[in-house]
Amino acid sequence: MPIIVNLDVMMAKRKISAGELAERIEITPANLSILKNNKAKAIRFSTLEALCKALDCQPGDILAYEPDGEEQRNE
Amino acid sequence: MSITWTETHSLKLSCLLVRIIMVLALVALFFIPLCTEWYDAVSEQEPIRLQLNICFYLCDAVAMVAIWQLDRMLFRIRRSQIFVPENVTTLRILSWACIAIGVILGVLTIWRTIMLLVMLVCLFLGVLLRVLKNVFAMAVALQEESDYTI
């Protein structure tokens, strides 16, 4: 999927652990791990809002669009 | 996904029925020659005992595979594994099993025209299961998307 979740980068910038962030945004550490490892298929606005609030950032700081090889060839 | 009291009992009944059919399919292995012998004796048409024996044994073998798959599927459903790829595979196998039985019985239409009806029923059931498999495959994809929505 060309949407990349840069959660680990923001977490490192804010010096916050996965456990602490999971607790703050009220999701399970397992779900946070899915999100962090780019395994998620979708993200709810409520989760994104909680993440932005907890990390004091914008959605664009967490999400990025990187076209994969197939899409680049089509352009 | 939780399973209610009624659903549990309904599942138990389904499991019991599948086991009974499994036993019947096994018992049929010993009684097919007797049944075909009796059929030839009462039938006023040309004897087709050998053809019937071959077709019925083939059908029984396919049916046993289908029943075994059905049993495994029920086992997974009892463990709340409903929209999983394994169940899609099972439905695909069941669909092909019905179509295969239809084709095998279709061979018998050469000697007995009435078998055309049985063949059509089996083929229809096979197509029905195939559509169900397609629906299940979509449900598996939706379930996966839902599971991975954070």
Side-chain angles (χ1 to χ4, degrees):
Chain A
M1 193 183 278
I3 298 291
I4 310 293
V5 181
N6 292 317
L7 202 55
D8 42 1
V9 177
M10 277 315 290
M11 282 166 66
K13 277 186 187 169
R14 299 289 184 257
K15 293 187 178 67
I16 187 168
S17 69
E20 196 185 336
L21 182 63
E23 205 173 299
R24 275 202 211 174
I25 63 171
E26 292 174 342
I27 66 167
T28 63
N31 277 348
L32 185 69
S33 171
I34 289 170
L35 204 57
K36 213 157 70 84
N37 296 318
N38 278 299
K39 294 272 195 304
K41 298 253 182 192
I43 180 165
R44 288 189 192 94
F45 278 157
S46 56
T47 311
L48 193 59
E49 186 189 329
L51 277 170
C52 290
K53 198 174 175 182
L55 296 169
D56 187 27
C57 64
Q58 291 297 312
D61 297 327
I62 300 168
L63 304 173
Y65 173 68
E66 280 177 24
D68 52 24
E70 189 70 27
E71 281 179 30
Q72 272 176 332
R73 268 198 299 276
N74 292 340
E75 278 170 11
Chain B
M1 197 181 287
S2 66
I3 294 173
T4 62
W5 190 87
T6 325
E7 282 167 345
T8 313
H9 280 71
S10 173
L11 270 174
K12 275 182 184 169
L13 181 66
S14 299
C15 287
L16 181 73
L17 289 172
V18 166
R19 295 279 160 88
I20 289 169
I21 293 170
M22 199 183 275
V23 171
L24 286 175
L26 278 169
V27 171
L29 283 174
F30 302 99
F31 288 97
I32 284 172
L34 275 173
C35 291
T36 52
E37 193 182 351
W38 168 81
Y39 175 77
D40 259 359
V42 295
S43 172
E44 288 170 359
Q45 291 169 291
E46 58 164 325
I48 52 160
R49 199 178 163 205
L50 180 69
Q51 295 92 317
L52 281 176
N53 276 339
I54 293 168
C55 287
F56 286 172
Y57 271 113
L58 283 172
C59 286
D60 205 33
V62 177
M64 276 198 280
V65 172
I67 295 162
W68 172 251
Q69 286 294 324
L70 208 55
D71 188 64
R72 293 292 82 205
M73 188 173 167
L74 282 169
F75 174 73
R76 281 192 294 270
I77 291 171
R78 282 177 82 167
R79 290 172 65 189
S80 295
Q81 296 174 348
I82 297 147
F83 298 117
V84 292
E86 289 85 356
N87 286 347
V88 177
T89 311
T90 296
L91 283 171
R92 185 186 290 126
I93 293 169
L94 287 173
S95 157
W96 280 115
C98 284
I99 292 168
I101 290 173
V103 170
I104 294 166
L105 292 177
V107 175
L108 288 175
T109 53
I110 299 168
W111 301 279
R112 299 290 187 270
T113 324
I114 190 74
M115 282 298 176
L116 187 72
L117 194 72
V118 186
M119 182 190 88
L120 286 175
V121 170
C122 288
L123 291 180
F124 178 72
L125 203 62
V127 173
L128 205 70
L129 281 166
R130 196 154 179 83
V131 173
L132 196 66
K133 182 222 70 157
N134 291 336
V135 173
F136 237 76
M138 287 295 289
V140 168
L142 285 171
Q143 174 84 53
E144 198 174 290
E145 195 164 308
S146 162
D147 286 347
Y148 284 96
T149 297
I150 312 297

